[in-house]
Amino acid sequence: MRTLRAILGVAAKEFQHMRHDPLTQGLVIAVPLLQLTIFGFALSLHATHTPAAVLNRDHHSASRMLITALTHSAAFDVREVTADPEELQALFRRGAVSAAIEIPEDYSANELYRRPSTLRVWADATDGVTVSQTILAAWGLSLRESAERLLAAQGGSSGPIPVGLETRLAGRAERAADVFVPALTGILIHMITLLFTTLAIVGEKERGTWDQMLATPLGASGALAGKLLAGAAVGLAEALFLLSLMRFGFGIPIRGSVMLLSVVVVAIIATSLALAVLSATFAKSQARGMQFTYLLFLPSILLSGFVFPRGAMPAPIYAFSSALPATFFVRLLRGVIMRGAGFSDVLPDLGGLALISAVLVCAAWLTRERGTTT
């Protein structure tokens, strides 16, 4: 009986500890709630509102009506209408669109004279999640156009003429690894750099040696700079290892500039270091630093567009995912490695990472200042 009371006392002590420990409450309550919310509400296997462009070579009434139908379609989100094939390719390189509908120059004339027409759909091969669904949605569009022509031709002398469809892929992705490995490389570089740097800083605090380092001539700035330099070195080594494995182990070619890829890697590491500094201001132990990294890893994988299409997410979740660094990493690495994007194509995403890094550094500084004054 005494043993049972002792066991119950230990259990009560753990519940008391959890009641006063927000991080433990977060792991017990927030993490399952986050997972259920993401899988039950935010994620969808059906691609809707896919960013799309229209290459209109016709410019007559039938093509304008088709563009209007596309604009009101739930499957596509028409963001650009152009007559220039080069501009269309530039949109794909920038990652601005994932699909395109090409309307031939004789589309309206074919409808008028009851001749066959063929639409062409372009799907971004680097966005492997939405390729098949984009093609299916385009087939649905061609069937609808065919049905309308059938109805219009019922009173005429000519037979019904359907609207056919040709499919083309923008970019090359012959295997699932071609789509997932480049994006996963960026997420792994980010997570390993973040975890190593956070644990390096928090470990000094946990062992009580951080204050001793502050008493040296280096001071706080010098000690922090040393930790960040070590974290940057680990991130660069990890990037070199993972990219070499991607190139020579999986046989995935780098279609863009290696120099630009190096700039992207540096941007990923810089953002990771800024987040590590902010994480270290909150984490009081290495265990909490690891828990923070785990909490960040889940949405980075699920909400960044790495696996699930972001276009199908509800507006609040989509806005939240737009602020995740991993979302920028996925777009940048797929753009440079798979689509051969240039500097002008990735400049908006690089600017977004710079802004995120600046906000993280400012937040870490303000948190530190508040902690030293209280």
Side-chain angles (χ1 to χ4, degrees):
M1 191 67 180
R2 182 180 301 175
T3 303
L4 179 60
R5 283 199 299 269
I7 293 174
L8 293 176
V10 172
K13 177 179 177 297
E14 289 302 318
F15 284 114
Q16 188 74 8
H17 170 73
M18 184 179 68
R19 191 164 66 90
H20 295 285
D21 186 5
L23 186 59
T24 303
Q25 295 174 13
L27 288 175
V28 174
I29 300 174
V31 171
L33 182 62
L34 177 64
Q35 290 178 336
L36 288 175
T37 301
I38 290 176
F39 281 98
F41 177 68
L43 300 182
S44 174
L45 295 175
H46 301 286
T48 59
H49 300 288
T50 301
V54 176
L55 179 61
N56 188 5
R57 300 177 182 270
D58 181 77
H59 304 293
H60 291 92
S61 59
S63 64
R64 288 194 294 268
M65 292 177 63
L66 178 59
I67 293 172
T68 301
L70 281 169
T71 304
H72 293 89
S73 169
F76 298 103
D77 181 11
V78 178
R79 299 187 176 181
E80 192 78 27
V81 178
T82 180
D84 185 2
E86 291 297 325
E87 184 178 355
L88 178 64
Q89 295 302 319
L91 290 171
F92 275 114
R93 282 198 306 271
R94 292 200 303 268
V97 297
S98 298
I101 303 295
E102 181 179 345
I103 304 175
E105 60 273 6
D106 55 356
Y107 185 77
S108 295
N110 289 339
E111 181 182 30
L112 179 64
Y113 295 107
R114 304 186 187 280
R115 296 195 300 256
S117 294
T118 301
L119 297 174
R120 180 174 293 168
V121 58
W122 296 83
D124 185 3
T126 66
D127 192 359
V129 178
T130 61
V131 167
S132 59
Q133 297 190 44
T134 296
I135 295 174
L136 286 175
W139 272 112
L141 175 69
S142 69
L143 290 175
R144 187 184 66 81
E145 291 296 307
S146 296
E148 290 184 357
R149 294 195 180 190
L150 283 170
L151 293 174
Q154 282 181 356
S157 58
S158 300
I161 300 298
V163 176
L165 185 73
E166 292 182 2
T167 60
R168 295 286 187 273
L169 293 180
R172 294 178 58 191
E174 299 174 357
R175 304 167 299 169
D178 296 339
V179 176
F180 292 114
V181 170
L184 182 60
T185 297
I187 295 176
L188 290 177
I189 295 170
H190 170 54
M191 289 300 169
I192 291 171
T193 305
L194 169 62
L195 181 61
F196 174 85
T197 309
T198 301
L199 296 184
I201 298 174
V202 176
E204 297 287 352
K205 296 179 180 180
E206 191 175 15
R207 291 188 296 268
T209 55
W210 183 256
D211 292 335
Q212 299 176 11
M213 295 180 64
L214 300 184
T216 63
L218 282 175
S221 300
L224 182 60
K227 295 294 183 182
L228 294 180
L229 182 61
V234 169
L236 288 172
E238 191 69 27
L240 181 62
F241 168 72
L242 291 175
L243 290 172
S244 298
L245 182 61
M246 177 198 74
R247 177 65 186 88
F248 301 106
F250 290 93
I252 299 175
I254 300 173
R255 297 185 175 88
S257 166
V258 175
M259 184 64 67
L260 180 58
L261 180 60
S262 302
V263 172
V264 170
V265 168
V266 170
I268 293 173
I269 293 173
T271 307
S272 305
L273 294 177
L275 186 57
V277 173
L278 179 62
S279 171
T281 61
F282 290 102
K284 304 300 181 183
S285 65
Q286 289 185 324
R288 293 198 172 192
M290 294 181 67
Q291 289 169 345
F292 173 80
T293 305
Y294 170 73
L295 288 173
L296 183 65
F297 185 73
L298 181 65
S300 296
I301 288 290
L302 297 178
L303 301 180
S304 62
F306 170 64
V307 177
F308 298 96
R310 294 179 62 237
M313 297 177 185
I317 303 297
Y318 184 89
F320 172 75
S321 68
S322 298
L324 285 175
T327 301
F328 294 88
F329 304 157
V330 169
R331 286 204 300 257
L332 284 167
L333 288 174
R334 281 179 175 168
V336 175
I337 294 174
M338 302 183 66
R339 293 191 291 265
F343 181 77
S344 61
D345 299 322
V346 302
L347 185 58
D349 285 330
L350 288 176
L353 282 184
L355 178 60
I356 290 175
S357 299
V359 170
L360 291 173
V361 170
C362 290
W365 177 260
L366 292 175
T367 304
R368 174 180 174 275
E369 286 295 310
R370 187 176 63 181
T372 57
T373 56
T374 56

